[in-house]
Amino acid sequence: MSEHSANPRYTILLKEIDLIDSNIKNLDDIIYKTKNFAIVLWGGSLYLLAQHVRVDGAIGGIPKENLLIYLTALIPIIFWAIHYRWQKHLSMCSARERMISWFINSQAFLAWLEGEESVEFPVYDVPGWLYTKQADRRDWERLGVQAEEAYLLDHSQLGFWKILFYKDAKWYYSLMIVISFLFGLLKN
């Protein structure tokens, strides 16, 4: 591969891989901090409502204090929505990295490095927004971009429920919601 290091395509692809790795690290950090802030805000709200807020009266037979505790379930819902947005970006970057990995390990990679026109692998789409099956192709045509369909990301594989319930997020936020409701039910 050392003879290819002077090839601009190779250099651009290496730079894209570095940027994807950097993006994934940053997005992981943002998601981690979002989770931490969510638990602090949610837990602090429950503590303040349970220990220090006294509200007399009831609405529909439910004490107002309990209603306020039920409302703390909105905090993890809001943070879950934020988490969803960052997780979608992370999933798009990961999908792009996976696509590059498949390409590098294919027979077409060496042909692409040699400059063969038959291989049209798109480069430099770090977040996975441009070279997708759902992209508006008018810009491609205007700029003369060519890309093989096999090397385009398919955002339909990143479904709403798949991202929403990705790994530990489904347990993390849903348990906070359930605890808010259980705490509201048990509060006397």
Side-chain angles (χ1 to χ4, degrees):
M1 285 293 168
S2 62
E3 70 270 6
H4 297 297
S5 61
N7 185 330
R9 289 178 164 187
Y10 184 75
T11 305
I12 291 170
L13 191 62
L14 287 179
K15 183 64 176 170
E16 183 177 358
I17 292 168
D18 288 342
L19 288 172
I20 289 171
D21 288 341
S22 175
N23 275 0
I24 288 173
K25 181 181 177 211
N26 289 338
L27 290 168
D28 275 340
D29 187 50
I30 289 169
I31 290 171
Y32 175 76
K33 288 176 181 175
T34 300
K35 285 180 177 178
N36 285 343
F37 191 59
I39 195 81
V40 167
L41 187 62
W42 171 78
S45 298
L46 276 177
Y47 171 75
L48 285 174
L49 290 172
Q51 294 296 320
H52 300 289
V53 175
R54 298 291 173 241
V55 181
D56 293 329
I59 298 175
I62 301 173
K64 287 183 180 178
E65 281 185 43
N66 292 38
L67 287 175
L68 289 174
I69 291 173
Y70 292 145
L71 286 176
T72 62
L74 291 175
I75 295 169
I77 291 170
I78 291 167
F79 278 95
W80 203 350
I82 294 168
H83 178 99
Y84 169 85
R85 187 66 184 151
W86 291 118
Q87 187 62 51
K88 185 171 184 176
H89 286 300
L90 181 64
S91 297
M92 289 165 59
C93 287
S94 296
R96 177 67 181 155
E97 189 170 49
R98 192 174 320 112
M99 183 65 66
I100 291 171
S101 175
W102 290 335
F103 177 66
I104 289 173
N105 290 295
S106 73
Q107 294 296 323
F109 179 63
L110 288 176
W112 181 76
L113 284 177
E114 299 297 330
E116 284 187 28
E117 298 299 322
S118 62
V119 180
E120 297 169 342
F121 183 78
V123 292
Y124 216 73
D125 185 18
V126 176
W129 290 338
L130 301 174
Y131 302 114
T132 68
K133 294 187 179 188
Q134 293 79 15
D136 183 2
R137 307 284 171 96
R138 288 179 292 187
D139 285 335
W140 290 18
E141 292 166 7
R142 183 175 57 81
L143 298 171
V145 174
Q146 298 292 321
E148 288 182 39
E149 195 74 20
Y151 299 126
L152 300 179
L153 295 180
D154 187 2
H155 284 188
S156 66
Q157 293 177 350
L158 302 173
F160 176 78
W161 297 110
K162 184 176 182 179
I163 293 173
L164 189 67
F165 293 116
Y166 188 78
K167 292 190 178 182
D168 66 334
K170 63 184 167 210
W171 299 110
Y172 192 83
Y173 295 107
S174 61
L175 282 175
M176 288 194 306
I177 293 167
V178 168
I179 289 169
S180 286
F181 283 110
L182 288 176
F183 198 69
L185 286 172
L186 300 174
K187 176 82 170 102
N188 289 329

